[in-house]
Amino acid sequence: MNVFHTSPFRTLTTLLLAAGSLASSQLPGLTINFDVNTGTSPTWNGTGVAPDTGTSWNGPPITGTGSNLLLTTVKDSSGNTVAGGIIYLNELNSQNLNAISEASLGNPNPTALMQDYLDGGLYQVAVGGIPEGSYRLYVFAHGEQAEQAGTVTIAEANLGGSATAGTAGDQYRNIFGEAAEGSAYLVFDDLAVAAGGGLAFTVDGYLNGFQLIRKQLPVIQTQPPAEQTGYTGLATTLSVEATGTPDMTYQWQKSTDGGSSFGNIDTGANPSAATADLSLTNLVLADSALYRVILTTPFGSETSTATDLTVISNPAPLFSLQPTDQTGGYGKTVTFSALAVADAGVEYQWYRDGQPISGATGATYSIDELNLDDAGNYWVVASNVYGSTESETATLFISLPAFP
């Protein structure tokens, strides 16, 4: 971790432009955490209040020997280095950065989290080397007393905004309390970061840290097919490919009125309705409908295009289970299995090397007391009054017993 106090003072614009040249290398779901640390408290290693499961925090020691510092090795919430990333902290009144430790003052937060804070100054914070996009910022802005509240102001280039942490109630220090938002921390949403830019804000009074998360909406890369045909008695699958946050959810829906309205498919009855791949088994004619999926992250939702699924009666047999290769020991028994479905019923006839096997007219075919002559290729033909369908070929191998 590279931390140094800047002298002479480098302007905020210069810092952001220098870092922004590498912004295109960052991942879409970037989250950066920062926790003020005097150097005597351990660095927090856990989650905060942002919708992110990462546990890595940037917590450089603030020793009070200068008015600004520059962090040039920045970690994301997963502990990966943010290429080109910087965090710049400056006391605008040219006073020393004055960090106070609350470790012994009954802080209700977990050990090492938001124990320390910058006290009583006017602080400028800049984060550079981050990709363009829309961001959400959580700023922890409170001292150990109820009246010690910080006022946060977002730079106009990031669409601005200002708020002051609350001073009423008993949640002004407990960031995980029920009423913590607006008191122990402030939230600024839909902040804009341009290409090659960064995000900046000031805090007047008190600063414990911040969490900055790039708002990642679901992005559908491959839509479900526009049309699909299924057959009664068989299964079909509708799929979508998308990117989003690790906790992105799926909810498949069905419309039986041509798309005028959609209803959620019960994920209890069909768990696949909560995944990227909707599986519909044992199709019936009533399954003909429009199907779509809604993908949701903590920042919003995206709805796929709809698939027009047409289920038709299955006149000729279609195989739902194919025979597979078998290896049988000499003198042992093997069984080939297949299953075909059709509304009009199914009859079977097994074949070996192109010749029908007498009496082999069931969905399974067993061979007892195997010998070398039984090796070969086997398949089955399923038929009814509407036609016939040949299965895949399965090969039978015979293994000889080991001799002493």
Side-chain angles (χ1 to χ4, degrees):
M1 177 181 294
N2 298 323
V3 181
F4 57 89
H5 296 281
T6 59
S7 180
F9 175 72
R10 297 175 62 185
T11 68
L12 179 62
T13 301
T14 301
L15 289 167
L16 293 181
L17 289 176
S21 61
L22 295 177
S24 62
S25 67
Q26 305 310 317
L27 296 175
L30 177 69
T31 300
I32 294 175
N33 300 323
F34 183 87
D35 184 15
V36 169
N37 194 314
T38 62
T40 60
S41 301
T43 300
W44 172 241
N45 186 26
T47 58
V49 299
D52 182 84
T53 58
T55 59
S56 178
W57 290 70
N58 298 280
I62 299 174
T63 60
T65 59
S67 64
N68 48 74
L69 64 80
L70 177 65
L71 178 63
T72 59
T73 300
V74 177
K75 302 289 187 178
D76 66 16
S77 62
S78 297
N80 302 311
T81 298
V82 179
I86 65 165
I87 296 176
Y88 178 66
L89 177 60
N90 178 43
E91 209 293 319
L92 291 176
N93 295 324
S94 298
Q95 301 176 6
N96 286 341
L97 295 172
N98 182 25
I100 295 177
S101 176
E102 271 197 6
S104 62
L105 298 178
N107 189 339
N109 299 309
T111 301
L113 177 61
M114 303 301 156
Q115 285 192 352
D116 302 343
Y117 62 94
L118 292 173
D119 178 34
L122 179 59
Y123 305 101
Q124 181 185 53
V125 181
V127 184
I130 56 178
E132 65 178 304
S134 179
Y135 284 77
R136 181 180 294 171
L137 175 67
Y138 300 78
V139 183
F140 308 93
H142 228 294
E144 79 261 21
Q145 303 298 324
E147 68 276 7
Q148 292 179 330
T151 297
V152 180
T153 302
I154 308 299
E156 290 297 327
N158 304 121
L159 300 185
S162 183
T164 301
T167 58
D170 58 0
Q171 298 298 321
Y172 60 89
R173 288 295 298 142
N174 184 3
I175 69 170
F176 295 111
E178 293 182 359
E181 182 176 340
S183 183
Y185 64 89
L186 301 168
V187 181
F188 299 87
D189 213 355
D190 298 323
L191 303 181
V193 173
L199 187 139
F201 60 95
T202 61
V203 182
D204 188 0
Y206 304 87
L207 173 64
N208 312 90
F210 65 85
Q211 291 187 274
L212 178 63
I213 183 167
R214 189 175 189 269
K215 297 177 64 175
Q216 189 173 5
L217 295 171
V219 177
I220 298 177
Q221 298 169 315
T222 303
Q223 296 278 0
E227 297 179 342
Q228 191 155 308
T229 300
Y231 299 91
T232 55
L234 296 183
T236 195
T237 299
L238 305 178
S239 298
V240 66
E241 293 183 2
T243 58
T245 57
D247 55 353
M248 182 171 67
T249 63
Y250 299 82
Q251 177 60 66
W252 285 88
Q253 296 183 318
K254 177 181 179 180
S255 172
T256 58
D257 57 8
S260 296
S261 62
F262 281 83
N264 290 345
I265 297 175
D266 184 359
T267 56
N270 185 354
S272 72
T275 72
D277 304 299
L278 174 66
S279 178
L280 302 172
T281 59
N282 195 25
L283 290 170
V284 295
L285 294 178
D287 289 323
S288 293
L290 295 177
Y291 294 84
R292 71 182 187 184
V293 61
I294 297 177
L295 303 92
T296 303
T297 72
F299 306 110
S301 300
E302 184 70 19
T303 302
S304 74
T305 57
T307 295
D308 187 357
L309 176 64
T310 301
V311 180
I312 60 177
S313 294
N314 177 15
L318 292 175
F319 281 94
S320 59
L321 175 66
Q322 297 280 358
T324 58
D325 292 346
Q326 302 274 3
T327 298
Y330 187 87
K332 303 296 184 180
T333 298
V334 297
T335 298
F336 291 101
S337 298
L339 182 63
V341 293
D343 290 344
V346 179
E347 295 179 352
Y348 297 92
Q349 175 61 61
W350 287 88
Y351 288 78
R352 175 181 178 272
D353 293 337
Q355 298 299 316
I357 302 171
S358 177
T361 57
T364 61
Y365 172 59
S366 297
I367 308 172
D368 300 322
E369 298 181 1
L370 288 171
N371 60 60
L372 296 177
D373 292 337
D374 291 319
N377 295 318
Y378 291 78
W379 64 89
V380 62
V381 173
S383 59
N384 62 15
V385 294
Y386 296 103
S388 61
T389 306
E390 184 176 299
S391 75
E392 296 176 359
T393 298
T395 301
L396 174 60
F397 302 93
I398 308 297
S399 62
L400 295 175
F403 292 97

